[in-house]
């Protein structure tokens, strides 16, 4: 008896139609004559899903008692006894009631599969165990019921059930997922458009990885070596040289030209560990490729072209990007090079791009940076080789019978001179040449053991030896010095390139620049000091590190920048050669400081311009909107004081009512103007404390007509950290605005709910709504949307509400109301230790 096959419908979110798709598949199989039975399917009261259960055999469930309540679970024994060809099991991640056969439903499914029964099941992407933390960070809800990823990955078939966030929200608004009384809460909490989009992306990415696994498995089973160009995968071959950054950026641009492109950077090292790559450069390139969305791989292989091609074919790559060779022209006699070999051996399934760069033909060896001075061990070694080794060589040659001749003896001593120059520099090599000349004269030129030289030709030979030894030693020492200088200049050029790039990018972080100075020169602290005059005390413009210097003379290193700025470094004394780079840093620090101040001045100018704009708008508002209620009050008072007309009691009451209404309107307008003035001048200081929303909302609704607004604020909501007075004014303004635009007889709904560490207050109207492009504009001062009647306000209500809410650390935004209208969403911080959210809606969504 073989193992059964598992088919899973993977949902991007609750309500996308997994169960519906599973039941539809069961009907198709039944029509083909397959024996199908429903082991467990929950329709959650959805009529369309419930209809699909008709015509399918259902295995009776098992009833369990737990804490005085009856629950039904799948009866595994009954399903095994019935033994259908295909069993339908909904909600794979479900946790069984204590006392069940297995703790989890996926374990029940494993038993059915082991018995040879095929299973069709469903699960949502948020229930995968590896995605629990990600889903919680997105939705604010921790999924308690999970299923191990490996259980789903082992499925024989996985079908993604997906739906756009807008379509799913419409389905919910129509009542096809939850009951009507839970729709608004669900739409404002778990089923936000952003949450649904993120969950959808998770489902697509997880399914794409599973597709890759299927593809690799199939290619391995059928021994397929050629590339299948399902999507663009670009392999970048790195050598550890500076050209790698150019190659990575070029490959990224190639990948962006096609949808779903992927970049894989690979560095191949030899198995013996010998390499000329710079570890620092490789670390920079790894960071770069990861920042650009690619991956970095380290592969070991003695034959670099073969290893690169094997890697590319193993990951099913479509393109390889390599740099032009850094070898010099004469080095091509040793072979064609990696680029040409890979291009020749790639075959028709791999495209090879050879990218030019600034390091072409400059040599394959990477410059090795040397220290500013040779170490003590190397200097001692140079003197030993230069002085002791010639003596030992002379003793060895004089105590052997072999007669090598004066020329060969000189070559041996010359080799020791070169070795001492490589180890210890010029001085040990000079001593080696002198000692070697004396030993050659004493031991190897007649007369032996005497300083004098009988043959004039030997005098010339020893002189030539000394001259050649000195020339070779000086050349070797000069090459070492030039190598050190080149490494130093390269480091300086990287620093200067960083500074130039920061100027071009317009970076304005002075602390980051000083931190870079501290790291570059290994200092304890760095301070940028400034003073207004030659006799004024120094002040800190910016500092990094502990105990920064207060005056330039107190620092270990100071670099003046003009007459009133100085860069002060504490930690160690810098050599004079480092002050050139330090001067560039100091000049850049002055530029950044000036830029920051210019930005501040520009911000102040912007605020002044906004103030002028508001004053202009205020004058326009005063000229009409404030004069309208004043004119009404004036007319009513003049009528009452008139002696020409005898007013009835009803007429007098009507005129007095008009005066009162005009005064109320005028008081409201003036109050909003004063509030806006306080916001513009920054004089709003909230008194933050823990407040219950059910205390604030009823007071805020007192200014609207009875029956025009309905509140639903549960008492179990956590308290919020707000200023009670400011929140009341903000809510009152929003509700008054909603009532103004809501149709007659349709009350405005004010509802509150908790979401993680936040509390949301939603004001929902059924008015004409606001287009998406105008939603931000309605919060601007003196803005009235659409055909709002003149005299109904100066357009400050929502602007004041947003200012007050943001002053308390909250946010306010506008959304479309499902079915038409506008919903204002106030998001406030929940007070620490507040009551948990109510359990009216499940903590996690169910399907």
């Amino acid at each position: 008896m073989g193992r059964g096959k598992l088919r899973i419908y993977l949902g991007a979110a609750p309500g996308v139609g997994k169960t519906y798709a599973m039941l539809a598949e069961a009907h198709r199989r039944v029509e083909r004559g397959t024996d199908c039975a429903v082991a467990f399917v929950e329709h959650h009261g959805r009529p369309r899903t419930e209809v699909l259960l008709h015509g399918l055999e259902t295995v009776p469930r098992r009833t369990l008692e737990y804490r005085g309540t009856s629950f039904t679970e799948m009866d595994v024994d009954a399903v095994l006894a019935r033994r259908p060809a295909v069993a339908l099991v909904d909600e794979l991640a479900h946790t069984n009631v204590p006392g069940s056969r297995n703790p989890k439903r996926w374990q029940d499914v494993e038993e059915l599969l082991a018995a040879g029964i095929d299973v069709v099941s469903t699960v949502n992407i948020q229930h995968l165990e590896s995605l629990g933390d990600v889903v919680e960070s997105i939705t604010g809800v921790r999924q308690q019921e999970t299923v191990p990823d490996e259980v789903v990955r082992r499925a024989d078939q996985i079908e993604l059930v997906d739906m756009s966030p807008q379509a799913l929200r419409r389905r919910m608004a129509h009542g096809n997922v939850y009951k009507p009384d839970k729709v608004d809460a669900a739409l404002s909490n778990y089923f936000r458009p952003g949450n649904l989009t993120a969950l959808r992306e998770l489902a697509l990415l997880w399914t794409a990885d599973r597709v890759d696994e299927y593809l690799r498995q199939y290619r391995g089973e059928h021994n397929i070596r050629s590339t299948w160009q399902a999507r663009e995968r670009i392999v970048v071959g790195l050598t550890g040289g500076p050209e790698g950054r150019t190659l990575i950026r070029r490959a990224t641009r190639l990948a962006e030209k096609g949808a779903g492109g992927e970049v894989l950077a690979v560095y191949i090292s030899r198995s013996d560990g010998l390499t000329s790559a710079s570890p620092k450069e490789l670390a920079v390139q790894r960071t770069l490729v990861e920042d650009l969305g690619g991956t970095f791989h380290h592969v070991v292989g003695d034959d670099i072209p073969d290893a690169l091609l094997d890697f590319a074919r193993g990951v099913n790559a479509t393109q390889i990007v390599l740099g032009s060779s850094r070898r010099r022209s004469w080095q091509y006699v040793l072979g064609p090079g990696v680029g040409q070999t890979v291009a020749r051996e790639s075959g028709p399934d791999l495209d090879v791009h050879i990218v030019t760069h600034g390091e072409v033909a400059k040599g394959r060896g990477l410059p090795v940076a040397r220290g500013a001075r040779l170490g003590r061990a190397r200097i001692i070694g140079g003197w030993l080789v230069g002085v002791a080794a010639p003596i030992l060589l002379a003793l060895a040659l004089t105590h052997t019978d072999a007669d090598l001749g004066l020329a060969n003896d000189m070559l041996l001593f010359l080799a020791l001179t070169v070795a001492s120059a490589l180890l210890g520099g010029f001085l040990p090599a000079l001593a080696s040449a002198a000692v070697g000349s004396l030993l050659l004269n004493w031991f190897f030129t007649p007369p032996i053991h005497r300083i004098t030289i009988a043959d004039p030709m030997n005098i010339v030979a020893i002189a030539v030896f000394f001259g050649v030894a000195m020339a070779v030693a000086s050349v070797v020492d000069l090459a070492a010095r030039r190598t050190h200088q080149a490494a130093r200049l390269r480091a300086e050029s990287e620093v200067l390139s960083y500074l130039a790039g920061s100027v071009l990018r317009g970076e304005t972080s002075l602390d980051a620049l000083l931190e870079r100075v501290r790291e570059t020169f290994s200092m304890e602290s760095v301070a940028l000091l400034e003073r207004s005059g030659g006799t004024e005390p120094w002040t800190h413009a910016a500092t990094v590190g502990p105990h920064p210097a207060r005056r330039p003379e107190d620092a270990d290193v100071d670099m003046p920048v003009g007459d009133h700025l100085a860069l002060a470094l504490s930690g160690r004394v810098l050599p004079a050669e480092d002050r050139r780079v330090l001067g560039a840093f100091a000049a850049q620090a002055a530029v950044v400081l000036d830029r920051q101040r210019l930005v501040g001045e520009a911000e102040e100018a912007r605020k002044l311009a906004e103030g002028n704009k508001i004053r202009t708008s205020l004058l326009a508002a005063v000229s009409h909107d404030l004069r309208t209620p004043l004119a009404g009050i004036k007319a009513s008072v003049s009528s009452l004081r008139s002696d020409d007309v005898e007013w009835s009691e009803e007429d007098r009451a009507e005129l007095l009512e008009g005066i009162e209404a005009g005064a109320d309107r005028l008081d409201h307008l003036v109050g909003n103007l004063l509030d806006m003035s306080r916001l513009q001048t920054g004089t709003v200081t909230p008194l933050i404390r823990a407040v219950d929303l059910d205390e604030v909302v009823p007071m805020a609704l007192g200014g609207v007509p009875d029956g025009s607004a309905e509140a639903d604020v549960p008492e179990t909501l956590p308290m919020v950290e707000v200023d009670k007075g400011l929140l009341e004014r903000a809510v009152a303004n929003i509700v008054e605005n909603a009532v103004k635009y809501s149709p007659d007889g349709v009350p405005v709904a004010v509802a509150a709910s908790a979401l993680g560490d936040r509390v949301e207050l939603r004001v929902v109207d059924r008015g004409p709504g606001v287009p998406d492009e105008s939603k931000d504009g309605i919060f601007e001062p003196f803005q009235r949307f659409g055909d709002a009647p003149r005299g109904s306000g100066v357009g400050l209500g929502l602007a004041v509400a947003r200012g007050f809410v943001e002053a308390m650390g909250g946010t306010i935004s506008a959304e479309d109301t499902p079915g038409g209208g506008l919903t204002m969403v106030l998001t406030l911080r929940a007070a620490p230790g507040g009551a948990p959210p109510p359990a009216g809606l499940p903590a996690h969504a169910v399907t």
Side-chain angles (χ1 to χ4, degrees), residues 2-62:
R3 179 180 172 86
K5 296 183 180 296
L6 175 61
R7 176 171 184 161
I8 292 179
Y9 287 92
L10 179 64
V16 294
K18 303 177 305 303
T19 305
Y20 188 93
M22 177 182 69
L23 295 176
E25 173 65 18
H27 279 283
R28 286 192 292 270
R29 296 195 182 195
V30 169
E31 291 174 358
R32 296 195 298 265
T34 305
D35 181 17
C36 295
V38 176
F40 188 95
V41 170
E42 185 62 61
H43 56 76
H44 296 290
R46 299 168 189 169
R48 297 186 179 181
T49 304
E50 187 176 2
V51 168
L52 283 180
L53 285 171
H54 299 321
L56 297 176
E57 179 185 353
T58 301
V59 178
R61 302 182 184 181
R62 181 185 178 189

Side-chain angles (χ1 to χ4, degrees), residues 358-638:
E359 302 295 323
V360 176
K362 291 186 177 181
R364 289 189 299 179
L366 296 175
V368 180
R370 293 174 177 239
R373 297 176 178 84
L374 296 174
R376 181 185 298 271
R378 289 194 57 179
I379 294 176
I380 294 175
W383 282 102
L384 289 175
V385 173
V387 177
I391 297 174
L392 295 176
L393 176 61
L395 293 175
L397 293 175
T398 56
H399 287 78
T400 59
D401 296 331
D403 186 8
L404 301 178
L406 183 60
N408 290 329
D409 294 337
M410 288 183 176
L411 289 176
L412 292 175
F413 281 97
L414 181 62
L416 294 178
T417 301
V418 173
S420 64
L422 288 173
L423 284 174
F426 182 76
L427 291 179
L430 178 62
S432 178
V435 171
S437 300
L438 291 175
L439 292 175
L440 285 171
N441 181 17
W442 183 265
F443 288 106
F444 302 105
T445 57
I448 303 299
H449 300 155
R450 295 181 62 182
I451 298 299
T452 60
I453 301 175
D455 190 352
M457 297 300 296
N458 290 338
I459 297 176
V460 174
I462 291 178
V464 170
F465 164 79
F466 186 83
V468 170
M470 296 312 326
V472 170
S474 63
V475 169
V476 172
D477 183 69
L478 181 62
R481 292 175 183 272
R482 291 290 183 265
T483 302
H484 167 66
Q485 292 174 0
R488 181 175 184 81
L489 290 174
R490 178 178 175 182
E492 291 182 3
S493 66
E494 290 181 356
V495 172
L496 296 176
S497 175
Y498 162 80
L499 291 176
S502 65
V503 172
L504 294 175
R505 292 190 297 269
E507 295 178 354
T508 57
S509 176
L510 189 57
D511 291 339
L513 180 64
L514 296 186
E515 183 65 30
R516 181 63 182 264
V517 174
R518 190 168 74 95
E519 293 175 357
T520 300
F521 298 103
S522 301
M523 290 294 178
E524 293 180 1
S525 63
V526 179
L528 182 62
L529 304 174
E530 67 173 347
R531 60 182 178 181
S532 57
T535 60
E536 298 294 328
W538 293 94
T539 59
H540 285 148
T543 63
V544 294
H547 311 298
R550 296 185 177 275
R551 300 180 303 170
E553 51 266 31
D554 297 337
D556 295 318
V557 181
D558 71 284
M559 175 62 64
V561 189
D563 297 331
H564 307 299
L565 278 177
L567 195 63
L569 290 75
S570 302
R572 66 185 182 93
V573 178
L574 285 181
E577 54 191 359
D578 285 338
R579 294 184 66 87
R580 178 176 57 184
V581 177
L582 181 60
F585 271 114
Q588 176 66 6
V591 171
V592 172
L593 181 61
D594 290 341
R595 183 185 295 121
Q596 285 184 346
R597 289 175 175 172
L598 289 174
V599 170
E601 292 174 0
E603 180 64 19
E604 291 296 327
R606 185 188 65 80
K607 291 181 179 179
L608 289 175
E610 289 183 354
N612 290 331
K613 179 181 177 182
I614 289 178
R615 280 190 287 271
T616 303
S617 300
L618 177 59
L619 290 175
V622 170
S623 67
H624 187 282
D625 293 291
L626 293 180
R627 291 178 61 185
T628 300
L630 284 175
I633 294 173
K634 174 66 174 175
S636 298
V637 172
S638 299

Side-chain angles (χ1 to χ4, degrees), residues 749-760:
V750 182
S753 60
L755 179 63
D757 60 348
R758 304 183 303 276
V759 175
E760 283 191 353

Side-chain angles (χ1 to χ4, degrees), residues 29 86 89 163 194 272 306 317 328 345 383 394 408 474 529 661 672 701 739 768 784 794:
R29 296 195 182 195
V86 178
V89 183
M163 180 178 291
D272 55 11
D306 284 349
R328 302 188 187 278
E345 302 294 336
W383 282 102
N408 290 329
S474 63
L529 304 174
N672 276 337
L701 300 184
V739 170
R784 291 181 296 187
V794 292

